[in-house]
Amino acid sequence: MQKIQLTRNEKRLLRNIAAGVDYWPAGMSDETISCAASELERHGLIRAAWTSGQILVDAALTNFGSSYIVNNPHLWNPIDWKWIITTIIAVGTLTVAVIALLTACKAILIH
């Protein structure tokens, strides 16, 4: 199962919905909760009931949401290994280039 990139607020809301808690996370405004719920619904993790003003009234996990939490219980975001590997290669190449430049400059100064 492919991991989904979730924000901190989306993770907090998803955990509350999964736990069956009757209240929304403390410190989150209605707008923040609505945005997080909208994204979770877009990813197919929850089904949400909305008021006419786009305020979240109720939410429940979908089957996909339940299996997502089972497979990724800590809700860790995916790691972009391609970016990490290319960054390591670029830093290595830069290091070799600087060493070669310093060696060439030292050779010129000696002669």
Side-chain angles (χ1 to χ4, degrees):
M1 173 177 291
Q2 182 177 356
K3 290 184 180 177
I4 300 169
Q5 185 79 25
L6 297 174
T7 65
R8 182 179 6 176
N9 289 332
E10 291 166 1
K11 290 177 187 180
R12 288 176 62 198
L13 184 61
L14 185 60
R15 283 187 185 108
N16 272 25
I17 293 169
V21 178
D22 289 338
Y23 57 88
W24 305 125
M28 289 177 67
S29 66
D30 288 341
E31 293 80 20
T32 305
I33 291 170
S34 294
C35 289
S38 177
E39 283 299 305
L40 292 173
E41 190 173 37
R42 186 179 67 81
H43 289 301
L45 297 170
I46 65 169
R47 280 187 314 274
W50 304 93
T51 62
S52 60
Q54 279 301 93
I55 302 297
L56 183 65
V57 176
D58 191 25
L61 281 180
T62 61
N63 289 336
F64 175 67
S66 297
S67 64
Y68 185 80
I69 289 176
V70 167
N71 291 321
N72 188 9
H74 299 289
L75 298 178
W76 287 330
N77 286 326
I79 297 171
D80 187 6
W81 288 107
K82 182 180 177 183
W83 182 84
I84 291 172
I85 291 171
T86 54
T87 302
I88 290 170
I89 291 170
V91 168
T93 304
L94 179 65
T95 303
V96 169
V98 168
I99 290 170
L101 179 65
L102 293 175
T103 305
C105 288
K106 184 177 179 183
I108 291 173
L109 289 176
I110 291 175
H111 284 73

